Structure formats: C-alpha cells, structure tokens
Amino acid sequence: MNELESYIHHHFGISQDDCQKVSGLFKPEVIEKGNYFLRTGKFCNKLSFIESGILRVFVKLPEKEVTQWIGTAGYFITDLQGFMFRNTSRFDIQALTPTRLFTIDYEAYLTMGRLVPKWHEFEKLFTGKCFVMMENRIMDLISLTAEDRYQKLFEQNRELFNQVPLQYLASMLGMTPETFSRIRRKMVS
C-alpha cells in the first residue's frame, strides 16, 4: 500500500480494494524546486497528494505576497474552488523543495463515482475535512494571539521552521516578519 492508499484508507475508511481503484487514477508527478504546480489565472485541472516535498500557496497583491498555506507530505493540494467549480485560480502554488506528488486530473476525478459506488460519501467527507481545516485556521487567526499562533504552528509542524523561509511562515500566520522574529527570539530564550 503506497502513501496515498494508506491515507485514503486511514482517513476515509475505504476498503483496500477501493483504495487501489482510486489510487490507480493518480499518476506520479515531480515538481522541481522553484517550479509551479499552478499559476494565478490558469485553470486548475488537477488534485494532488503530496508524497514528499513542500509547496507554498500564495497570492501576489500590489504591495506584497501573502502565503495562504504551506502544503507538506501527507496533505492534498489544489485550488479547491478552481478545481471543483472550474474557475481560474486565485493562487500561485510553487514548490519550495523538490516535490513528489500523486496527481489526478479533473476528468479522471469524475470517474471515481463509477469505480467506487460509495465515492460520493467519501467526497463529502473529504470536502468537509477541508472546510473544517479552513474554519480552524480562521478561528486561530481571529482568536489566538500572534504568540499562540506561532507556538501552535511550531508544535504541529516544527520541521517547517528549518525548511521554509520564515517570511512565508509569518505571512501564513498573519503577522509581519518583524513580529515573527521577535516572537521567535522570545521563544528561543
């Protein structure tokens, strides 16, 4: 069982046989460091599971870039709004490290319901998990202090602090690089 099959089986309770049917629709993809998974204004025609590597989801504003998410191994990556509703992407998604993915294109994604009869139940669960994750991020941004957001990210994804430029982490946490550095110095001492 590969990482994708293991994830699907563990998080959605799909049988091993159905996991193999689903994972068979995903194709290996490699993105070199600095290359893009998706560019703003392009149609998002793929959904990928990150096997290894780090991807940054961000938007370019006139005065700055804002990091929306840092995707790591064991997570799915796409512009969900673009993928599901066939809109152009609002985000750039760029590899911060060499990245290995399992990728399914939109047309293959649509065939899952025929291959796995219970797929639509699992799809609702997947979309629900994405929604809850975003709700939790929003709640953290509006209810936690900058120090608490920093500490939570550090506890959950300690490895990012050595692999991702700190200004990207600061942006994802909704703070300036200066505030991030001040908190980091305080936490280290």
Side-chain angles (χ1 to χ4, degrees):
M1 185 178 291
N2 67 32
E3 293 87 351
L4 175 61
E5 291 170 2
S6 179
Y7 180 92
I8 292 169
H9 179 70
H10 175 74
H11 287 278
F12 301 106
I14 298 175
S15 72
Q16 283 190 322
D17 183 48
D18 285 344
C19 280
Q20 288 175 344
K21 289 177 187 174
V22 168
S23 72
L25 296 173
F26 285 77
K27 305 299 178 218
E29 180 180 3
V30 175
I31 302 176
E32 297 302 321
K33 178 181 178 177
N35 288 348
Y36 286 83
F37 174 86
L38 181 62
R39 298 299 305 249
T40 300
K42 302 291 182 188
F43 281 95
C44 183
N45 198 40
K46 59 186 179 177
L47 167 71
S48 296
F49 178 80
I50 305 170
E51 181 182 16
S52 65
I54 301 172
L55 294 162
R56 177 173 80 119
V57 180
F58 65 100
V59 63
K60 292 179 185 176
L61 301 175
E63 66 284 351
K64 63 182 177 179
E65 289 182 356
V66 177
T67 300
Q68 190 261 358
W69 183 250
I70 304 286
T72 58
Y75 284 94
F76 283 90
I77 193 95
T78 192
D79 177 339
L80 192 59
Q81 182 261 156
F83 183 75
M84 297 302 287
F85 298 107
R86 312 309 303 141
N87 295 320
T88 57
S89 178
R90 301 167 291 169
F91 304 107
D92 285 307
I93 303 177
Q94 184 179 33
L96 298 180
T97 64
T99 303
R100 293 177 359 150
L101 308 164
F102 292 107
T103 299
I104 187 168
D105 66 31
Y106 184 74
E107 291 74 27
Y109 181 83
L110 293 177
T111 69
M112 280 201 237
R114 290 191 302 273
L115 284 177
V116 179
K118 292 179 73 175
W119 175 252
H120 297 293
E121 291 174 40
F122 302 129
E123 183 180 44
K124 284 181 193 173
L125 186 57
F126 172 73
T127 305
K129 286 182 181 233
C130 292
F131 189 75
V132 167
M133 188 167 59
M134 290 307 295
E135 278 186 328
N136 290 340
R137 287 207 52 227
I138 292 166
M139 189 60 159
D140 287 352
L141 284 170
I142 64 174
S143 66
L144 297 179
T145 65
E147 289 86 359
D148 289 340
R149 292 192 309 271
Y150 177 101
Q151 188 64 37
K152 186 172 183 177
L153 180 64
F154 187 77
E155 289 170 3
Q156 292 175 343
N157 294 338
R158 184 177 306 235
E159 70 284 352
L160 290 181
F161 286 72
N162 295 320
Q163 299 174 324
V164 173
L166 298 181
Q167 71 264 23
Y168 298 163
L169 297 178
S171 178
M172 187 175 81
L173 292 173
M175 61 183 80
T176 65
E178 295 78 18
T179 299
F180 187 91
S181 293
R182 180 182 49 77
I183 293 169
R184 185 172 188 191
R185 280 192 305 275
K186 182 178 173 183
M187 297 290 182
V188 170
S189 59

